[in-house]
Each structure stands twice: as C-alpha cells, then as structure tokens.
Amino acid sequence: MNPLRPAFRYTPFVTGSLQSLLRYRSMFAISAVTAAASAAMMIFLWRAVHSSSPDGPPGGFDTAELTTYLLVAQILGLLHANRVDDEVSAEVYRGHVAAMLLKPVSYPAVRAFACLPVIGTNALFAGLPVLLLFALLVPLNVPRPVDALLFAVSAVLSAAVAYLVNLLVGMAAFVTTNTWGIRLMKQTVVAFFSGQMVPVGLMPDALAAVTRLLPFHTMVDSPLTLLLGRYDGVPGILGVLGLQLLWTAVMCAVAALVWRFAVRRLEVLGG
Amino acid sequence: MIVVENLVKEFRVPEREEGLSGSLRTLLTRRYRTVRAVDGVSFDIPAGSRTAYLGANGAGKSTTVKMLTGVMTPTSGHCLVNGLEPYRNRRRTARRIGVVFGQRSQLWWDLSVPDSFRILRRIHDIPDAVYQRNLRLFRELLDIDALATTAVRQLSLGQRMRAEIAASLLHDPEVLFWDEPTIGLDMVLQEAVRELVNRVNRELGTTVLLTSHDLADITSICDTALVVDHGRVIYQGRIDQLLSTAGQRCVIFEYRGGPSPEAVAAEVEHALPGTRVRLDGQRVRIDHPVGLLSSREVLSFLLERVDLTECYVPEPDLGTVLKELYTRNGHRGRAPGGAA
Ligand SMILES: Nc1ncnc2c1ncn2[C@@H]1O[C@H](COP(=O)(O)OP(=O)(O)O)[C@@H](O)[C@H]1O
Ligand SMILES: [Mg+2]
C-alpha cells in the first residue's frame, strides 16, 4: 500500500481552499500593499536612526543588511498570515468542528493542509511582487546560495511554527467568544517577539534574553540569521535549525494536548 | 453490532439565577448542577436490524447516539460499534458509520452538495464503482441533482435533509445512525427515504439505528423497537409484536338500511360488554378491549346484525401503544414525541 495514501485523503482540503482563495483575488493586492507599506515604513524609520547614530551601524548591520532584514521580515509575515486562527475560531463558533469529528480525518491536519495554498498564493502573489519592487528601489544584500538554501529550510519551519501558533489562537474560541481580542494580542506579541520590527541582535540585552526564551523568534529572526549569514560555521547553522525544530516539536505537542482538551470542551458546549 | 453496557452520561450545567442580581451573583460564585442525560442503559443490537430508538423528549437518545458515533465520551460504562469503542477510535469508527443529525449539518456549509460529495469521496477513499452506484441511487430516489450548485447553507430544510441522508450513505457504511432525520421531508420523499434504507439494508446488510418523532417514519423504516424510559430499556423487540400488545382495538364500518346508527350503537354496547361506540355520520367506530373480545368476534356479530358496505380493522397506532407502555412502567411524564 502507498504510504502517502492517508495524505491523499486531505487533497480536497487543499484544492477547496485554493478555489475559495482564487475567488477573492483582491485579497492578494491588499496583503501586498500592506506588506510593502510596513516594509517601507520600517526601512525608512531604521535609516533615520542609522544616519543619526554617530558610531556607525548598530550591531554590525550595514544599511543593505538591515534593509534586507526588514523587507524579508515583512515577506515572512505574509507566509505566517495563514488564516488558520480565523478559520478555526469561525468553525468553532459556528459549530462546524463537531461535524468534522464525525469524519475520518484529523481536524488539525485538515487545517494544516487547507493553509498550504494560503501560504503558497501569499508568497507568489504578494511576497514576490513586493520583493521585486523593493529590489528595484533600495540596495539589498544578495545572499550566498548556501545561505539562501538554509533560509528556505528555515522559512518552512517558521511557517510550521506560525501555523501552530495560529491553531492555538483559533482554539481559544473554545473558551472565549472574544477571539478578535486574542488574535489582536497575538499579532502584537508575534510582531514584537519574532524580531519582525527589531532584529533580536539589536534588542537591549534583557529583552533579547526574554525573546530567546519564547518560540516566536524562530519565526522571523532565525530564518534571517541564516539568510544574512550571521552564524558561526556549521555548529551555528545546526543551533538555529535545531532550535526551530525543537520549538516546532514542542508546539506540536502543546497543540495536540490543547486539541484533546478542546474536544472534551466541545461535549460540554453540546457538540 | 452495537453493544451498550451501563452507559452513563452526565453533564455539569451552571445554575442560572434570575434577574440582574442573580446574574451578578453567578458572576462571583458559579454553582453547578449535574444532569444525568443517559442513566445506565444497556442493550444489544444485532447486525442487519433496523431499530427505532424511542423515548420521551430528553430521554437521552441524542446523547446516546453521540456516544455511539464517538463525538462524546461516556461518564461511565461503555459501548461498542463494530467491536470498537467509538470515542477511543473516532477516525476508524467514522470510516464505517454513516451519521445524520437532524439538528446539525454534516456537510460543508459554504460548498455545494456535489462539492461536499467529492470531499467525502476522497476522505472515505470510496472506490469508483461504489461512488457511481450510490450517486445513481440518490439521483433516482432523492433527486439530488435538483440541488445542483446551491451552497448547503442556502438549501431549504427538506433539500438539506436529502443531501444529509445521501451523504450518510455515500461510503456504504456498516451502521447508520439517524437522529431525527426526516424533519422537513414531504410525503413523497419520506417514501423514497424508506425505499432507500430498505434497499441498502437488504443488499448490504446495513444496520440502522433511528430516532424520530415521526411515528410514520418509524413504522415504515424500522422493524425493531428499543424503548427507553428513565435510562432503562422497557421494550426491545419487533414493532409488530409491540403493536399487538395494544390493550384496545377498533373496528370501523358503514352499513346500508336497517336500524339507525344510534340503535346499532346501543345494541353493540349491550351485546358486547366493554366496547365503546362512536358515531361519525354514517360511520360507526367500535373500540373494544383486547382481553375480552377479538376483532373476529366483533366482526361476526356485525355481519349478522347489519348489511355492511365498508369495514376497516386498522392496526393499533404506535403512539397509543407507546403511551400505554410508558403508563404501565410508571412513567408520569410526557408521552413520546409524536404521540403527545
Ligand atoms: N451538552 C449538554 N449540556 C447539558 N445538558 C445536556 C447537553 N446535551 C443534552 N443535555 C440534557 O440531557 C438530556 C437528554 O438530552 P438528549 O440526549 O438531547 O435527549 P433526546 O434526544 O432523547 O430528546 C436533556 O435533559 C438535555 O437537556
Ligand atoms: Mg434528540
């Protein structure tokens, strides 16, 4: 028997999600414009800080590196906008999760497969145009091929962590109806602690220490560390990727545990 | 096929207090009350049977079905479907059962019925031949093509039920759980659904467990009844045998010429003690207790006395029989759904 057979069961969720995405094409334009605007704002803000600082570039970042960091951080943000939190909380709220329990599939897996096209189309129709646009406008750091490759691997892990974070946020709908507030809170926390606004290397020591204890920095800071080659040889690479893997595993376990609790909770709500 | 042993499900529901002050109090201290929805039920349903699961409103039928389909875990006791405990093997069970909850859709709200079916085909890994055969069957009996590309959320209740019923049968399940499935179906479709269930039951040996408020559904789909009251099984057996336990029977007739209906009524009540006669124009209805008289005795009396033109001896109706059953078992609450 084909070992991939169980995965094939989930293909309709991939195609279904792609279909509904293509129906709302204007969304890509909005995502792209939002990402471009934030990137532009961050870049000019940092440039202003840069030029006013007398003792050269902070933390060893030169202008092109910092620009690349801030731009790619926004593009990673597009890969993290997988809509899993919205979908899960909506389905919990409308009671559709109960119906999924009667199907021979795992609900978290369904959501994982359904978010693949969201990530893919976001990357293609919003991320790529933004990257090209900025490449024309501002000087960027061109990564070494090996670093680009490491970045790709790291970006996949960062998308996995983003999915798990959003899954957990979505499941908050089991205990509260104010999922909007929770999602907003998550956005702020992630934007800050992932390193999307400030590279972890530039944070004050105490804050950087806290950030490194949280999973969020593996979403942005880790892939960018690899992309910009800011690591010490092979042990450095293994350290970054290892930490990402570890956090992916831990978050998986937490999500599985919470999901089990949530199913119980569903009974109480009258599944 | 289905084994249920001492199944118990309790819910903890927060006590609500009345008024604003009550709401404020519950904000600070919340008290809980335990509701025992299923109270130690045991039964055993053989493969291939078509069983109606009957009981008063709130008797715990839906809760039992939720445990049998794996979406709820019992507080104590256990149940087996196809040899598996459903709530411990949810996905494996889901592959082998078909479920309709009348109260809640099993389809994808935003998708059309054909799109939902395509998903079901994939997640159940339904072989081509089976899928095509079943679609043909649903086209013929449920006219599902008429539902076309409308999103499920825009379907009428009756249309949605047709889709739900078809979806529950799509993967040739070994057991069907239908909880209040035919709400909103018209007479023609009820007939079609009956035909459909009877066909899969005959051809595939599908086991059917149905709960319904509609006594006509029950008698047309099921051959066995499982009557539960206060968590106890008070009857399990053939429906026709249940009907034959009726304490009252009746004979309805019309006649030509002869004495006036009032005179006939008086004569019958005198000659056949224990009977009650009701007149409805030319039509006369005689209710008689089973223990004292048989329908045959009533009929032979009538054949001798009047010139019969029409005569009906209807089967006792399930609602009345169930009411008697509950009363015999000391139930003082509501009668089962449709009989109320
Ligand atoms: N999720 C729940 N939380 C609290 N009480 C419930 C819940 N589900 C059902 N009940 C209670 O359990 C009892 C049985 O309900 P149910 O199984 O729906 O009965 P039936 O289907 O036989 O009408 C009812 O008193 C109902 O109020
Ligand atoms: Mg019910």
Side-chain angles (χ1 to χ4, degrees), chain A residues 146-160 223 226 241 244-245:
Chain A
V146 60
D147 289 341
L149 203 69
L150 288 172
F151 168 79
V153 175
S154 182
V156 169
L157 289 171
S158 103
L226 297 176
L241 290 179
Q244 282 193 293
L245 269 176

Side-chain angles (χ1 to χ4, degrees), chain B residues 263-275:
Chain B
V264 174
E267 194 176 349
V268 169
E269 279 180 343
H270 179 74
L272 304 173
T275 55

Side-chain angles (χ1 to χ4, degrees), chain A residues 5 8-13 94-96 98-106 263-264 267-268 270-271, chain B residues 9 11 66 69 71-73 90-91 94-95 99 101 104-106 108-110 119-120 122-125:
Chain A
R5 190 145 193 142
F8 279 129
R9 291 220 170 91
Y10 293 91
T11 50
F13 301 105
R94 285 187 261 158
H96 293 177
M100 289 303 286
L101 293 182
L102 289 164
K103 309 278 191 294
V105 287
S106 138
V263 170
R264 288 256 155 157
E267 310 183 343
V268 181
Chain B
K9 182 72 196 183
F11 294 107
K66 281 175 191 165
T69 53
V71 292
M72 265 188 193
T73 309
R90 193 160 41 219
R91 269 183 272 167
R95 222 162 280 157
V99 186
F101 281 118
R104 184 159 265 167
S105 179
Q106 297 306 305
W108 283 268
W109 215 228
D110 299 318
I119 296 183
L120 289 172
R122 226 23 198 285
I123 62 180
H124 281 290
D125 227 340

